[in-house]
Amino acid sequence: MPAILSDEELQAFHLTESEARLALAIRLYQDDLISIGRAATLAGLNRIEFQRELGRREISLYDREMLENDLKYAGYALK
């Protein structure tokens, strides 16, 4: 089901179409509804560009559980 925002709606929110797509992609990624690759595609960016945008917005690529798993695999543990 396509989601359509009119030009008037985008103007009301002071967003361009690309900004709206990026905002939607970020929210869906943060809510763990889509993968980072799918979010990047939705935003019209490649994966590295999307990761950089997350960094600019101070949005972590890892949650605590992912970090703990990575550290455990590397032989470390969080206290």
Side-chain angles (χ1 to χ4, degrees), residues 40-67:
T41 300
L42 178 60
L45 304 172
N46 66 45
R47 188 176 170 138
I48 299 300
E49 291 168 331
F50 187 73
Q51 288 175 323
R52 285 185 183 137
E53 186 60 38
L54 292 176
R56 278 192 284 278
R57 294 169 185 245
E58 298 182 3
I59 298 169
S60 177
L61 295 174
Y62 287 103
D63 62 19
R64 184 170 178 91
E65 181 180 348
M66 290 171 65
L67 179 60

Side-chain angles (χ1 to χ4, degrees), residues 5-16 19-20:
L5 292 175
S6 69
D7 290 339
E8 293 80 21
E9 290 170 315
L10 289 172
Q11 289 174 356
F13 294 118
H14 306 288
L15 293 172
T16 65
E19 290 168 333

Side-chain angles (χ1 to χ4, degrees), residues 1-39:
M1 168 176 81
I4 299 172
L5 292 175
S6 69
D7 290 339
E8 293 80 21
E9 290 170 315
L10 289 172
Q11 289 174 356
F13 294 118
H14 306 288
L15 293 172
T16 65
E17 181 181 346
S18 61
E19 290 168 333
R21 292 174 66 88
L22 178 59
L24 176 60
I26 289 171
R27 173 51 55 199
L28 293 173
Y29 172 73
Q30 284 183 301
D31 290 349
D32 203 24
L33 297 172
I34 60 176
S35 69
I36 194 166
R38 180 69 183 111

